[in-house]
Amino acid sequence: MLGPLREQVREVVATMAPTIRANLVSLLSRPGYALHPDGPCRAGVLALEIHAAVVREPAGRTALLAAAAVELQMEAAYIFDEVADVPPYGKRSEDLALAIALLTAGVAAAVDAAADSPDPSACLRSFSRAYGEACAGQFLDAMLQRRGEATLEEALEATCLKSGGLGKFVAGFAARIAGTDADGIALFERLGSNTFTLAQLLDDLRDASDPGELSDLAQRKATLPVVFYGRGVDSTVPLDDMLPWDIHKTYESSGAPLYVAILAQAYMTRAQQDLSLLARRAYAVSGLGDFLKDVELGAEKILSAAGVSLVA
């Protein structure tokens, strides 16, 4: 699945202006991105699994175009996150330009994919509207980061809008391209939102505290574990990107890891329930089940490293 998806991404990128094609390939080949051998391509894979659940056939060009479209939009969001998190911002201006190019490439792929769908206009309206909602989460996240403080409610809202919104965007577009009905679309969107929110909570838990290394706590990012920890301590965290061992230990015993782990468990349960409802509606969800199991396996590793364990 990843091989054909990556080839489709390369094909879409090849349609961009010659002056930036090589730069886009280089960017997408960085660790964690779509063209890197270990890149998870989570958005594209979810889109392909949803298409398979609906049509029960191997992915054709339309499904691959749709998957490439949402993957490119996701990669653009990653770039904006990275630039926002690592000042000085001017040194990453080229990456911002490439992110805009990826957005336009994703839209072009979405138009081509929607052309073969039952309702092209509805597909593209959903594509634009849902991504715009996720952008509201990007904005809130950046605003909280600049402000330097956030409440738990604000941090959770940013997580749900940004990551949950991207999951809803991916799942809704894939389901519409596949031609499912309104009730099915709503279920797939909910699964996407809950799964991507879970994944973000796990990423935030993993990145919160790491003594002697770059960490969210050292950078005072407005993520849920960092915000929870900040509510209960008076001492400030150094801004030199290094987290002293004593602060690391204070964080570990603060209740922040357990708080986020409980939230992650709640979203995991919701995603499992969504999958069960889809199965009852006779969708072929085995691939989606494997997708969710991969996320759950990552959850077990991260929760274990954070020193917490919950009942599956």
Side-chain angles (χ1 to χ4, degrees):
M1 182 176 290
L2 283 173
L5 174 58
R6 290 190 175 116
E7 284 304 311
Q8 188 63 66
V9 168
R10 287 183 180 275
E11 183 179 318
V12 173
V13 169
T15 66
M16 302 302 291
T19 52
I20 61 169
R21 285 177 196 163
N23 301 93
L24 289 171
V25 171
S26 177
L27 183 150
L28 292 173
S29 299
R30 295 175 185 173
Y33 284 82
L35 297 183
H36 189 275
D38 297 325
C41 298
R42 188 174 283 157
V45 171
L46 177 59
L48 289 174
E49 294 294 5
I50 288 174
H51 194 275
V54 176
V55 303
R56 299 171 179 266
E57 295 178 358
R61 178 169 171 77
T62 296
L64 286 168
L65 276 169
V70 296
E71 185 62 41
L72 288 169
Q73 303 295 112
M74 182 71 74
E75 304 294 6
Y78 288 159
I79 295 167
F80 281 109
D81 260 357
E82 285 188 358
V83 173
D85 289 344
V86 186
Y89 312 108
K91 291 186 177 180
R92 299 293 300 276
S93 56
E94 295 93 343
D95 283 354
L96 286 178
L98 293 176
I100 295 171
L102 289 179
L103 289 174
T104 60
V107 170
V111 170
D112 289 341
D116 294 327
S117 70
D119 191 342
S121 295
C123 285
L124 293 175
R125 281 196 301 272
S126 166
F127 184 90
S128 300
R129 186 183 302 114
Y131 195 78
E133 291 174 359
C135 287
Q138 293 274 6
F139 173 81
L140 179 58
D141 185 45
M143 183 189 72
L144 295 177
Q145 186 68 19
R146 177 182 58 81
R147 196 173 74 187
E149 59 182 15
T151 65
L152 280 174
E153 292 77 11
E154 288 172 328
L156 180 58
E157 182 183 11
T159 299
C160 293
L161 273 175
K162 182 177 73 170
S163 300
L166 285 171
K168 179 182 177 182
F169 155 73
V170 170
F173 184 64
R176 285 177 172 85
I177 290 292
T180 192
D181 59 23
D183 289 340
I185 290 170
L187 274 176
F188 282 118
E189 287 181 334
R190 196 165 69 192
L191 173 66
S193 176
N194 287 327
T195 302
F196 275 47
T197 301
L198 165 63
Q200 184 63 58
L201 290 170
L202 294 171
D203 286 350
D204 291 343
L205 188 59
R206 179 197 63 208
D207 298 338
S209 170
D210 193 356
E213 300 288 344
L214 193 68
S215 69
D216 288 353
L217 188 56
Q219 296 182 76
R220 298 183 180 181
K221 289 187 180 180
T223 64
L224 276 164
V226 174
V227 172
F228 186 98
Y229 170 76
R231 295 167 71 245
V233 298
D234 296 325
S235 61
T236 59
V237 178
L239 293 178
D240 58 0
D241 294 339
M242 300 294 286
L243 189 63
W245 180 255
D246 59 335
I247 294 180
H248 169 78
K249 295 299 290 183
T250 303
Y251 164 80
E252 292 294 327
S253 62
S254 69
L258 180 60
Y259 167 75
V260 178
I262 291 171
L263 275 178
Q265 177 71 67
Y267 279 97
M268 184 187 299
T269 300
R270 292 176 187 177
Q272 291 167 340
Q273 291 170 344
D274 296 334
L275 195 63
S276 295
L277 289 173
L278 286 165
R280 290 177 195 171
R281 288 177 57 88
Y283 290 106
V285 299
S286 61
L288 285 170
D290 292 339
F291 180 89
L292 186 56
K293 285 178 183 177
D294 285 342
V295 176
E296 292 172 354
L297 180 61
E300 293 175 5
K301 293 178 180 178
I302 292 170
L303 293 175
S304 176
V308 295
S309 61
L310 296 171
V311 178

